[in-house]
Amino acid sequence: MKTIISRWCLAGVMAIALSSCGSFFEESSQDEIKPSTVEDLQATFFHDGYPYNFSSDSYLNLLTDEVQNNGLTDDHYADRLKIGQPAFTFNPDMFEGALSFINDENSWKNYYTLVMGCNVTLDYVDQMTGSAQAKQDLKGQARLLRAFYFLKLATIYCQPYANDPDNNLGISLITSSAVNDAYPKRSTLRQTYDFIESELKQAKEELKDYKPTTHYRVTAECADILLSRLYLYEEKWDECIAAADEAIKNGPQLTNFNSLLGMDAIVYDASSSEVVWNYSGKFYNSEYINRNDIWSTAIPYTLDTKVATLYDQTNDLRYRKYVNKYASSFIVTKVSFNSQYDGEHGLRMAEVYLNRAEAYARKSVNGDAAAAAKAMADLNTLRENRYANGTYTPVSELQGQDLLQYTLQERQRELVWEDGFRWMDIKRNHLSVTHIYTDDTGASHQYTLKADDPLYALPIPASALSRNPNLQQNPR
């Protein structure tokens, strides 16, 4: 049986032609170095399994209620206006034809490429020489990252979990690097989430003794954070709370934003204590949102003004760290200018407090009075670390739906434009989104994505469908 290996080579470790389709571990040539140790395989995995210098799925912001369109204010922005149009206007063919995104925004391709890097590692690590502990550490990282990528794919290409998980489509659970004649089908949504859960639990056990010296490696604490996210999406409130409890017990403290000194200090900086895992990806380098290319007028797609008003603009330091007003529009500045050098994505403790607070708030809606106090405690812990010293007044006396709505607003304030959170929150809360698009002639058009629309499971790119006859497209 032939095998597929990672598409890129790691300089100094191996040299493999991009067109090679032979078995790397079974055949070799004069210019290839065959991995034989865990360290060799680890070096390859760090290059091909981790999402560094990765084209992220920041186009998801264009689908949400957190982005507004400003039309064409300068001819210099014409391409950005055009490239962002398909997503912003909810075009079912947003990934195809003349309206297609740039190639590196193909999330289906990008995440499955990283999945393959994880699969190669898991398939071959036991054949390498090295200590049992080193092998276990490597397995845990590969397994956790594969689960992370599967969850990312599910949030993009699947309906929310509560919408009939036994009949709605999940993703293709590709768990081997082996090549055979079978084309993978899509699992059900329940099967997808169940597999992710089991993988995260196993990865947590495998990583229990792994203590890296850098935040650029995943750990057991990452598994707890992702489990709290998974259970939140599944509406398993008690399980979400338990996973968040574990993450908070074993993870770092929240960053007090009063300690983030300097204009360029961001929440993912090395000086930010709450970062558990950090990776870099394209954000403002994208073709449709680029704050490094602002001329004298607003760029075509900016933060919706209504979101900016959610902040206490005087005392909430997130308004200064996350948002910047430019002329009459707002841009999000929570990531660094130098994304190719500094990570500005990953996992951090703020999400955990928000996941647990929402789970408690949901229980409060269902009549659990004690849960309301716990939700407010989590919200106050987070918010106190975000306000200027001495200015914060704790939230109190909220119950039921009022508490839930406040918690969901706090998610927006904290997670604005971050890693597709708002896209998933809109889907699972059954919300609609209305956009006003102003074309290059100045004419305005209204587009609405209704609650539970089929498009909340984004279309799989045609290039993937053409290669796999068993791959079922999402209904339109």
Short mmCIF file of all heavy atoms in Angstrom, two decimals, residues 383-416:
data_model
loop_
_atom_site.label_atom_id
_atom_site.label_comp_id
_atom_site.label_asym_id
_atom_site.label_seq_id
_atom_site.Cartn_x
_atom_site.Cartn_y
_atom_site.Cartn_z
N ARG A 383 -14.18 40.68 33.16
CA ARG A 383 -14.31 42.10 32.90
C ARG A 383 -13.41 42.95 33.80
O ARG A 383 -12.89 43.97 33.38
CB ARG A 383 -15.77 42.52 33.05
CG ARG A 383 -16.65 42.00 31.91
CD ARG A 383 -18.13 42.17 32.20
NE ARG A 383 -18.51 43.56 32.42
CZ ARG A 383 -18.66 44.46 31.46
NH1 ARG A 383 -18.47 44.12 30.20
NH2 ARG A 383 -19.00 45.70 31.76
N GLU A 384 -13.22 42.51 35.04
CA GLU A 384 -12.34 43.26 35.93
C GLU A 384 -10.91 43.30 35.40
O GLU A 384 -10.18 44.28 35.62
CB GLU A 384 -12.36 42.65 37.33
CG GLU A 384 -11.62 43.48 38.36
CD GLU A 384 -11.82 42.97 39.77
OE1 GLU A 384 -12.34 41.84 39.93
OE2 GLU A 384 -11.47 43.69 40.71
N ASN A 385 -10.52 42.24 34.68
CA ASN A 385 -9.19 42.20 34.07
C ASN A 385 -9.10 42.98 32.77
O ASN A 385 -8.03 43.07 32.17
CB ASN A 385 -8.77 40.76 33.83
CG ASN A 385 -8.27 40.07 35.08
OD1 ASN A 385 -7.13 40.26 35.49
ND2 ASN A 385 -9.13 39.28 35.71
N ARG A 386 -10.22 43.53 32.33
CA ARG A 386 -10.23 44.27 31.07
C ARG A 386 -10.43 45.78 31.28
O ARG A 386 -10.21 46.55 30.35
CB ARG A 386 -11.37 43.76 30.17
CG ARG A 386 -11.25 42.29 29.76
CD ARG A 386 -9.88 41.99 29.18
NE ARG A 386 -9.80 40.70 28.52
CZ ARG A 386 -8.96 39.73 28.86
NH1 ARG A 386 -8.13 39.92 29.89
NH2 ARG A 386 -8.91 38.61 28.19
N TYR A 387 -10.82 46.19 32.47
CA TYR A 387 -11.10 47.60 32.73
C TYR A 387 -9.90 48.31 33.35
O TYR A 387 -9.06 47.68 34.01
CB TYR A 387 -12.31 47.73 33.65
CG TYR A 387 -13.62 47.80 32.92
CD1 TYR A 387 -14.04 46.77 32.09
CD2 TYR A 387 -14.45 48.92 33.03
CE1 TYR A 387 -15.24 46.83 31.40
CE2 TYR A 387 -15.66 49.00 32.35
CZ TYR A 387 -16.04 47.94 31.53
OH TYR A 387 -17.23 48.02 30.84
N ALA A 388 -9.84 49.60 33.13
CA ALA A 388 -8.81 50.41 33.78
C ALA A 388 -8.93 50.27 35.29
O ALA A 388 -10.03 50.16 35.84
CB ALA A 388 -8.96 51.88 33.37
N ASN A 389 -7.80 50.25 35.95
CA ASN A 389 -7.77 50.05 37.40
C ASN A 389 -8.72 51.01 38.12
O ASN A 389 -8.72 52.22 37.87
CB ASN A 389 -6.35 50.26 37.93
CG ASN A 389 -5.44 49.09 37.60
OD1 ASN A 389 -5.89 47.96 37.43
ND2 ASN A 389 -4.14 49.37 37.49
N GLY A 390 -9.54 50.43 39.00
CA GLY A 390 -10.41 51.23 39.84
C GLY A 390 -11.69 51.72 39.18
O GLY A 390 -12.44 52.49 39.80
N THR A 391 -11.97 51.29 37.95
CA THR A 391 -13.15 51.83 37.26
C THR A 391 -14.28 50.80 37.09
O THR A 391 -15.37 51.18 36.67
CB THR A 391 -12.78 52.33 35.85
OG1 THR A 391 -12.36 51.22 35.03
CG2 THR A 391 -11.67 53.36 35.92
N TYR A 392 -14.03 49.55 37.44
CA TYR A 392 -15.02 48.53 37.12
C TYR A 392 -16.06 48.36 38.23
O TYR A 392 -15.71 48.24 39.41
CB TYR A 392 -14.36 47.18 36.85
CG TYR A 392 -15.38 46.12 36.47
CD1 TYR A 392 -16.13 46.26 35.32
CD2 TYR A 392 -15.61 45.02 37.29
CE1 TYR A 392 -17.10 45.33 34.98
CE2 TYR A 392 -16.57 44.07 36.96
CZ TYR A 392 -17.31 44.23 35.79
OH TYR A 392 -18.27 43.32 35.46
N THR A 393 -17.32 48.34 37.83
CA THR A 393 -18.42 48.04 38.74
C THR A 393 -18.97 46.67 38.38
O THR A 393 -19.40 46.45 37.24
CB THR A 393 -19.55 49.08 38.61
OG1 THR A 393 -19.03 50.38 38.89
CG2 THR A 393 -20.69 48.75 39.55
N PRO A 394 -18.96 45.72 39.30
CA PRO A 394 -19.39 44.34 38.97
C PRO A 394 -20.83 44.27 38.49
O PRO A 394 -21.69 45.04 38.91
CB PRO A 394 -19.21 43.60 40.30
CG PRO A 394 -18.19 44.39 41.05
CD PRO A 394 -18.43 45.82 40.67
N VAL A 395 -21.06 43.33 37.60
CA VAL A 395 -22.40 43.03 37.13
C VAL A 395 -23.15 42.28 38.22
O VAL A 395 -22.59 41.37 38.87
CB VAL A 395 -22.34 42.16 35.85
CG1 VAL A 395 -23.74 41.78 35.38
CG2 VAL A 395 -21.58 42.88 34.75
N SER A 396 -24.39 42.61 38.44
CA SER A 396 -25.16 41.93 39.48
C SER A 396 -26.64 41.93 39.11
O SER A 396 -27.08 42.65 38.21
CB SER A 396 -24.98 42.63 40.84
OG SER A 396 -25.45 43.96 40.78
N GLU A 397 -27.38 41.08 39.78
CA GLU A 397 -28.85 41.04 39.69
C GLU A 397 -29.39 40.69 38.31
O GLU A 397 -30.52 41.03 37.98
CB GLU A 397 -29.44 42.40 40.12
CG GLU A 397 -29.00 42.87 41.49
CD GLU A 397 -29.30 41.87 42.60
OE1 GLU A 397 -30.33 41.18 42.51
OE2 GLU A 397 -28.50 41.77 43.54
N LEU A 398 -28.59 40.00 37.50
CA LEU A 398 -29.10 39.55 36.21
C LEU A 398 -29.58 38.11 36.33
O LEU A 398 -28.96 37.29 37.01
CB LEU A 398 -28.02 39.64 35.13
CG LEU A 398 -27.60 41.05 34.70
CD1 LEU A 398 -26.44 40.98 33.71
CD2 LEU A 398 -28.77 41.80 34.08
N GLN A 399 -30.66 37.79 35.64
CA GLN A 399 -31.23 36.45 35.68
C GLN A 399 -31.73 36.07 34.29
O GLN A 399 -32.02 36.92 33.45
CB GLN A 399 -32.42 36.40 36.66
CG GLN A 399 -32.07 36.63 38.12
CD GLN A 399 -31.48 35.41 38.79
OE1 GLN A 399 -31.68 34.29 38.32
NE2 GLN A 399 -30.77 35.62 39.88
N GLY A 400 -31.85 34.78 34.07
CA GLY A 400 -32.54 34.26 32.90
C GLY A 400 -32.09 34.85 31.58
O GLY A 400 -30.90 34.94 31.28
N GLN A 401 -33.06 35.26 30.76
CA GLN A 401 -32.77 35.76 29.43
C GLN A 401 -31.91 37.02 29.45
O GLN A 401 -31.06 37.22 28.57
CB GLN A 401 -34.07 36.02 28.66
CG GLN A 401 -34.79 34.77 28.19
CD GLN A 401 -34.01 34.04 27.10
OE1 GLN A 401 -33.15 34.62 26.43
NE2 GLN A 401 -34.30 32.76 26.94
N ASP A 402 -32.12 37.89 30.42
CA ASP A 402 -31.30 39.11 30.52
C ASP A 402 -29.84 38.74 30.74
O ASP A 402 -28.94 39.34 30.14
CB ASP A 402 -31.79 39.99 31.66
CG ASP A 402 -33.14 40.64 31.37
OD1 ASP A 402 -33.50 40.71 30.18
OD2 ASP A 402 -33.81 41.05 32.32
N LEU A 403 -29.59 37.77 31.59
CA LEU A 403 -28.22 37.32 31.85
C LEU A 403 -27.63 36.68 30.60
O LEU A 403 -26.46 36.93 30.26
CB LEU A 403 -28.21 36.33 33.01
CG LEU A 403 -26.88 35.64 33.32
CD1 LEU A 403 -25.80 36.66 33.66
CD2 LEU A 403 -27.05 34.64 34.47
N LEU A 404 -28.41 35.87 29.92
CA LEU A 404 -27.91 35.21 28.72
C LEU A 404 -27.54 36.22 27.65
O LEU A 404 -26.47 36.13 27.03
CB LEU A 404 -28.95 34.23 28.18
CG LEU A 404 -28.58 33.51 26.88
CD1 LEU A 404 -27.30 32.72 27.02
CD2 LEU A 404 -29.73 32.62 26.42
N GLN A 405 -28.40 37.21 27.42
CA GLN A 405 -28.12 38.21 26.40
C GLN A 405 -26.87 39.02 26.75
O GLN A 405 -26.06 39.36 25.89
CB GLN A 405 -29.32 39.14 26.20
CG GLN A 405 -30.50 38.46 25.54
CD GLN A 405 -30.13 37.79 24.23
OE1 GLN A 405 -29.52 38.41 23.35
NE2 GLN A 405 -30.48 36.51 24.08
N TYR A 406 -26.71 39.33 28.03
CA TYR A 406 -25.52 40.06 28.46
C TYR A 406 -24.27 39.21 28.23
O TYR A 406 -23.22 39.71 27.79
CB TYR A 406 -25.63 40.45 29.93
CG TYR A 406 -24.56 41.41 30.38
CD1 TYR A 406 -24.74 42.78 30.25
CD2 TYR A 406 -23.37 40.95 30.91
CE1 TYR A 406 -23.76 43.67 30.64
CE2 TYR A 406 -22.37 41.83 31.31
CZ TYR A 406 -22.58 43.20 31.17
OH TYR A 406 -21.60 44.07 31.56
N THR A 407 -24.37 37.93 28.51
CA THR A 407 -23.23 37.03 28.31
C THR A 407 -22.86 36.93 26.84
O THR A 407 -21.66 36.95 26.49
CB THR A 407 -23.58 35.63 28.86
OG1 THR A 407 -23.96 35.73 30.23
CG2 THR A 407 -22.40 34.68 28.73
N LEU A 408 -23.85 36.84 25.97
CA LEU A 408 -23.57 36.76 24.54
C LEU A 408 -22.96 38.07 24.03
O LEU A 408 -22.10 38.06 23.14
CB LEU A 408 -24.85 36.43 23.78
CG LEU A 408 -25.44 35.04 24.07
CD1 LEU A 408 -26.76 34.86 23.34
CD2 LEU A 408 -24.46 33.93 23.68
N GLN A 409 -23.39 39.20 24.58
CA GLN A 409 -22.76 40.48 24.23
C GLN A 409 -21.30 40.51 24.69
O GLN A 409 -20.44 41.04 23.99
CB GLN A 409 -23.53 41.64 24.85
CG GLN A 409 -24.78 42.04 24.11
CD GLN A 409 -25.35 43.35 24.63
OE1 GLN A 409 -24.89 43.91 25.63
NE2 GLN A 409 -26.38 43.83 23.95
N GLU A 410 -21.06 39.94 25.87
CA GLU A 410 -19.68 39.91 26.36
C GLU A 410 -18.80 39.06 25.46
O GLU A 410 -17.62 39.36 25.25
CB GLU A 410 -19.64 39.40 27.80
CG GLU A 410 -18.29 39.51 28.47
CD GLU A 410 -17.82 40.96 28.61
OE1 GLU A 410 -18.65 41.90 28.57
OE2 GLU A 410 -16.60 41.15 28.77
N ARG A 411 -19.36 37.98 24.89
CA ARG A 411 -18.60 37.20 23.92
C ARG A 411 -18.21 38.07 22.72
O ARG A 411 -17.09 37.97 22.21
CB ARG A 411 -19.42 36.00 23.44
CG ARG A 411 -19.50 34.85 24.42
CD ARG A 411 -20.26 33.68 23.83
NE ARG A 411 -19.54 33.01 22.77
CZ ARG A 411 -18.64 32.05 22.93
NH1 ARG A 411 -18.33 31.63 24.16
NH2 ARG A 411 -18.04 31.48 21.90
N GLN A 412 -19.12 38.91 22.28
CA GLN A 412 -18.79 39.81 21.16
C GLN A 412 -17.69 40.79 21.55
O GLN A 412 -16.75 41.01 20.77
CB GLN A 412 -20.02 40.58 20.72
CG GLN A 412 -20.93 39.81 19.77
CD GLN A 412 -21.84 40.73 18.99
OE1 GLN A 412 -22.88 41.16 19.47
NE2 GLN A 412 -21.45 41.04 17.76
N ARG A 413 -17.80 41.37 22.72
CA ARG A 413 -16.78 42.33 23.13
C ARG A 413 -15.40 41.68 23.22
O ARG A 413 -14.40 42.27 22.79
CB ARG A 413 -17.15 42.95 24.49
CG ARG A 413 -18.24 44.01 24.41
CD ARG A 413 -18.47 44.67 25.76
NE ARG A 413 -19.26 43.83 26.65
CZ ARG A 413 -20.57 43.93 26.82
NH1 ARG A 413 -21.26 44.84 26.14
NH2 ARG A 413 -21.21 43.14 27.65
N GLU A 414 -15.35 40.50 23.76
CA GLU A 414 -14.06 39.85 23.99
C GLU A 414 -13.52 39.15 22.75
O GLU A 414 -12.31 39.18 22.48
CB GLU A 414 -14.17 38.83 25.13
CG GLU A 414 -12.89 38.10 25.47
CD GLU A 414 -11.78 39.04 25.91
OE1 GLU A 414 -12.07 40.00 26.67
OE2 GLU A 414 -10.62 38.84 25.49
N LEU A 415 -14.39 38.50 21.97
CA LEU A 415 -13.94 37.65 20.87
C LEU A 415 -14.14 38.29 19.50
O LEU A 415 -14.09 37.59 18.49
CB LEU A 415 -14.69 36.30 20.93
CG LEU A 415 -14.52 35.51 22.23
CD1 LEU A 415 -15.39 34.26 22.21
CD2 LEU A 415 -13.06 35.15 22.48
N VAL A 416 -14.32 39.60 19.46
CA VAL A 416 -14.61 40.29 18.21
C VAL A 416 -13.59 39.92 17.14
O VAL A 416 -12.38 39.95 17.35
CB VAL A 416 -14.66 41.82 18.44
CG1 VAL A 416 -13.32 42.36 18.98
CG2 VAL A 416 -15.07 42.54 17.18
#
